[in-house]
Amino acid sequence: MKIKTILTHILWFFCAVSILYGLSRLYYLSGDGFAVMHITSDLSPEDRWTTRPLTDPENSTVERLLNGKFFYLGKGCQSYVFESEDGKYVMKFFKYQRLKEKIWPGFLSRFSFIDHYLQKRNAHKKQKREGVFLAWKLAFDFLSKETGTVYVHLNKSDNLKKNVTIIDKLGIQHSLWIDQYEFMIQKKAVMLCDEIAKNMSCGEIKTAEILLQKLVQRILSEYKSGFADNDHALIQNTGVWEGEPIHIDVGQFVREESVKEESFYLQELYTKTYKFRIWLRQEYPELCDRFEEYLSDTMGDCFK
């Protein structure tokens, strides 16, 4: 009888643990995995992450936005995204649960192969985080028009002095002392394909053509200035703000002299627009013909 009682207690214990784990996973998934601790870091300020000063219009915009609330919009590979009250801007926070260096118990790190693996993983995470930091800084310092970036805050500070309210997917409100967080404020754009679909449904073919020409011109201008977006997912990462194409995801921008070479950037332009042209051909064949004519005129023999 005693053994049966013990087994019953053990069974109830595992059932309780399973239920608690299931509930925690349900909460995690229903909230898209967001938690304040996942956007919180222990990073110290570094001079290399200091961004350019805000212009007066940018400062006014940032001041106004930080006085309002932000509502959960979604998540990407690198960040959680919240929408401003007016629906015109987004605030992005780093997903640190993917980038934080892990510390294992000391007795495990005594094994050389485990210690080597841990060091390698942590070095990769640090490199990835610094790559995104650099990309965000480049986007704001040099490409704010091309990326719609209004503000980038990569160093903890003491000048903002605001509690910013964010509301997560579950409707839970969180108050953040925003000086202590790394974040970006960016214009909220309409996805490129959605904008083209809207133009075409309204019979605004010329507007769509001009938008596509601006897209090509912007990509070429970036390369000629020594900047490149290493993410080739043009459809997923391009939006439109007030008739201008902008980059939505700026996490893979780099600055290199080699991208100024014509042979390089023309090949990149061809590659970047390839899947987009397939979509355009399926949805709007005549518009695709005009777009490809423009690419051919721009790229010459490289477009074949």
Side-chain angles (χ1 to χ4, degrees), residues 10-34:
I10 291 174
L11 179 61
W12 277 109
F13 172 77
F14 279 107
C15 286
V17 170
S18 298
I19 291 171
L20 288 174
Y21 176 77
L23 289 173
S24 67
R25 289 299 297 170
L26 179 62
Y27 176 82
Y28 179 86
L29 293 173
S30 61
D32 258 3
F34 174 79

Side-chain angles (χ1 to χ4, degrees), residues 90-253:
V90 293
M91 178 180 278
K92 297 181 178 181
F93 295 93
F94 283 101
K95 294 172 66 175
Y96 280 116
Q97 74 268 34
R98 295 172 60 93
L99 298 175
K100 283 181 179 177
E101 299 175 23
K102 294 188 181 296
I103 300 176
W104 289 8
F107 73 90
L108 286 176
S109 61
R110 293 175 184 174
F111 297 96
S112 59
F113 70 94
I114 294 180
D115 186 55
H116 176 73
Y117 170 79
L118 180 61
Q119 290 184 28
K120 187 176 180 179
R121 287 290 298 165
N122 285 343
H124 174 73
K125 289 183 178 182
K126 182 178 180 181
Q127 183 181 31
K128 187 173 182 179
R129 173 178 59 79
E130 295 206 344
V132 178
F133 267 42
L134 177 59
W136 279 27
K137 178 175 167 58
L138 290 175
F140 179 63
D141 284 352
F142 304 102
L143 299 165
S144 57
K145 182 179 179 181
E146 292 84 351
T147 62
T149 307
V150 177
Y151 184 46
V152 167
H153 186 262
L154 297 175
N155 279 329
K156 291 177 174 58
S157 59
D158 57 8
N159 62 299
L160 297 176
K161 295 180 170 55
K162 290 183 184 296
N163 276 312
V164 174
T165 299
I166 63 172
I167 299 170
D168 66 24
K169 188 177 181 180
L170 298 175
I172 300 172
Q173 186 169 294
H174 307 272
S175 183
L176 307 179
W177 186 249
I178 204 63
D179 276 304
Q180 295 301 301
Y181 292 85
E182 294 80 34
F183 64 92
M184 167 196 287
I185 296 178
Q186 190 178 21
K187 295 173 181 176
K188 184 189 176 188
V190 177
M191 297 303 293
L192 175 63
C193 294
D194 293 340
E195 183 72 8
I196 290 174
K198 184 185 77 171
N199 291 336
M200 297 301 286
S201 66
C202 296
E204 299 174 353
I205 300 175
K206 190 62 179 178
T207 301
E209 290 179 8
I210 293 173
L211 174 60
L212 295 180
Q213 290 177 8
K214 286 181 177 179
L215 176 64
V216 173
Q217 292 165 2
R218 178 143 296 176
I219 293 172
L220 291 178
S221 175
E222 291 164 6
Y223 279 114
K224 290 177 181 179
S225 300
F227 297 97
D229 182 2
N230 285 336
D231 190 340
H232 287 170
L234 183 72
I235 294 177
Q236 294 84 352
N237 293 335
T238 305
V240 182
W241 166 273
E242 297 183 348
E244 297 293 329
I246 64 172
H247 297 271
I248 296 174
D249 186 345
V250 301
Q252 293 193 47
F253 266 99

Side-chain angles (χ1 to χ4, degrees), residues 12 27 31-32 64 66 72 77 84 87 97 125 141 183 211 257 290-291 294 296:
W12 277 109
Y27 176 82
D32 258 3
R64 174 177 63 82
L66 293 183
Y72 187 79
C77 294
S84 62
Q97 74 268 34
K125 289 183 178 182
D141 284 352
F183 64 92
L211 174 60
E257 285 296 310
R290 295 174 189 177
F291 182 51
Y294 180 68
S296 181

